[in-house]
Amino acid sequence: LGKTIKNAVGSIERLRFTNSGTEATMHAIRLARGFTGKKYIVKMEGGYHGAHDYALIKSGSGTMTFGVPSSAGVPEEVSRTVLVGRYNDAESIEKLFKEHRNEIAAVITEPVLGNIGVINPENDFLKSLREITEKYSSLLIFDEVITGFRFGFKGYQDIVGIKPDLTTMGKIIGGGAPVGMFGGREDIMAHVAPQGDVYEAGTFSGNPLTMAAGIATLDQLKGKDYSSITNYATRLEEKLNSLISEYNIDATINRCHSMFQIFFNKNKVKDYTGATASDTEKFNKMFHMLLEKGIFFPPSQFETEFVSFAHSETDLEATVDAFSTVLKCL
Ligand SMILES: Cc1ncc(COP(=O)(O)O)c(C=O)c1O
């Protein structure tokens, strides 16, 4: 499984398996700190990297100023080492680097935000992150737990041509079994124990069941025509957009290849502030009405719809029909 991932994802020269995406980002962050000898991590407002202390930083302006943990139980000393920047705002990131000169170990981001709805990178944001991290001798970590192998037999990084230093993955590469992976530059990965002094371990890491499930899934995916799921999502988006205009609903759709989200917001959503300005009550109503009609969307405005190879033309029609009724009611 490791060889398959290495061959498919350009930046991954060496990797380690974990049991979840949470573990993968936790170890990647520790490795970045161990490798650079620096303390701070930058994450994006609204970016989700699992449920460990270094990732659970509440998004919002107070958080950005004071580093207040979003979850009870995260010591303030820990949350203060995680700085929050604004996705799609390279200036906000560079400002953090200027304020914490030579002290930032890494920037970690989902290349496409997928945990506050879908938000696409704009204005060469990912390229700017690469340039800024290089300029300040910091690492760039792409959390591809959602995007890895989702839009093609590769990472999103290979689609946009930006090479991070470290990458995390999960979900798809385990084929439904518990999995996570962190990997990247050989010289950085060499710092992981036992070769190096950054400790990482897990009783079930790389367990045979998960590895077999991952190999089987990636074997299946290798021959697949990913353009079919992108095409499905594109047509669904078009049809939903025409219903949105027909019923004059304040809503906008963000889509990245085969993943999308409807925001009940009349403005285009390109960051956390835009996403949280959406009408979540309306989304919840839509969710329940769709569920009654047999269409199971993720139950939150701040999640993402994924098209899978299992979706059929019949599913597409049923989804559009259900939407038509639901949007009319809304
Ligand atoms: C981008 C991203 N990173 C990390 C995680 C955490 O993965 P896990 O739930 O396997 O711990 C998730 C989970 O949804 C995720 O979406």
Side-chain angles (χ1 to χ4, degrees):
L1 182 61
K3 278 182 189 158
T4 306
I5 294 170
K6 259 177 59 171
N7 290 338
V9 183
S11 70
I12 300 180
E13 294 167 0
R14 198 196 281 197
L15 59 88
R16 275 283 172 101
F17 286 109
T18 62
N19 301 295
S20 66
T22 296
E23 282 178 52
T25 63
M26 180 180 74
H27 292 308
I29 286 173
R30 185 185 310 113
L31 176 58
R33 286 176 163 147
F35 176 77
T36 59
K38 299 177 183 184
K39 176 165 89 172
Y40 292 98
I41 294 292
V42 173
K43 76 175 279 293
M44 302 301 143
E45 200 176 23
Y48 182 71
H49 305 292
H52 57 80
D53 287 3
Y54 294 120
L56 286 176
I57 306 303
K58 190 175 144 194
S59 301
S61 60
T63 310
M64 287 195 282
T65 318
F66 300 114
V68 181
S70 65
S71 166
V74 179
E76 203 186 308
E77 291 80 356
V78 171
S79 60
R80 277 189 192 283
T81 65
V82 181
L83 311 167
V84 180
R86 281 192 297 275
Y87 187 79
N88 275 334
D89 180 353
E91 268 175 36
S92 82
I93 310 295
E94 179 125 36
K95 188 162 173 274
L96 293 173
F97 273 91
K98 283 182 180 149
E99 287 165 2
H100 299 269
R101 199 167 274 277
N102 296 327
E103 286 181 295
I104 298 177
V107 172
I108 182 167
T109 187
E110 300 162 75
V112 180
L113 293 191
N115 285 288
I116 46 165
V118 177
I119 300 186
N120 279 297
E122 287 180 4
N123 305 323
D124 281 334
F125 179 64
L126 300 178
K127 188 165 170 255
S128 301
L129 288 186
R130 182 63 285 181
E131 287 165 2
I132 294 168
T133 44
E134 265 167 15
K135 179 168 155 192
Y136 291 90
S137 303
S138 176
L139 302 185
L140 179 60
I141 308 172
F142 276 176
D143 180 356
E144 296 228 41
V145 165
I146 286 180
T147 53
F149 293 91
R150 188 171 296 281
F151 312 131
F153 200 76
K154 49 188 144 187
Y156 185 74
Q157 57 190 269
D158 302 294
I159 294 173
V160 289
I162 307 285
K163 210 169 171 183
D165 301 294
L166 292 174
T167 299
T168 53
M169 286 193 183
K171 302 193 194 286
I172 293 176
I173 60 161
V179 79
M181 181 285 307
F182 68 102
R185 269 170 45 194
E186 176 90 32
D187 61 321
I188 301 173
M189 291 302 290
H191 284 250
V192 179
Q195 190 182 355
D197 56 1
V198 177
Y199 193 67
E200 183 274 330
T203 300
F204 295 108
S205 295
N207 74 78
L209 175 65
T210 293
M211 297 300 101
I215 289 168
T217 301
L218 294 193
D219 272 355
Q220 292 270 325
L221 284 178
K222 195 157 196 174
K224 290 277 187 194
D225 174 13
Y226 275 84
S227 68
S228 68
I229 49 171
T230 299
N231 184 269
Y232 183 114
T234 312
R235 286 189 297 141
L236 187 54
E237 180 193 19
E238 277 165 16
K239 286 174 197 284
L240 299 187
N241 267 331
S242 58
L243 290 171
I244 286 167
S245 1
E246 186 180 336
Y247 297 118
N248 205 16
I249 307 258
D250 283 341
T252 180
I253 298 179
N254 279 1
R255 183 181 61 79
C256 181
H257 298 258
S258 58
M259 61 193 248
F260 68 97
Q261 180 58 301
I262 301 168
F263 293 95
F264 286 98
N265 190 324
K266 61 175 183 290
N267 302 312
K268 199 79 203 135
V269 173
K270 61 179 183 69
D271 55 19
Y272 173 86
T273 311
T276 49
S278 306
D279 185 343
T280 49
E281 229 169 85
K282 203 167 257 181
F283 186 95
N284 293 345
K285 272 191 200 156
M286 177 193 76
F287 166 77
H288 285 289
M289 289 164 87
L290 283 173
L291 192 59
E292 270 171 32
K293 295 185 176 305
I295 306 293
F296 191 7
F297 258 43
S300 163
Q301 175 71 90
F302 308 121
E303 299 261 2
T304 292
E305 283 82 70
F306 302 109
V307 174
S308 97
F309 285 110
H311 285 115
S312 68
E313 280 303 307
T314 322
D315 295 323
L316 183 84
E317 278 163 33
T319 310
V320 174
D321 280 354
F323 253 97
S324 178
T325 321
V326 169
L327 289 186
K328 197 170 175 181
C329 289
L330 287 176

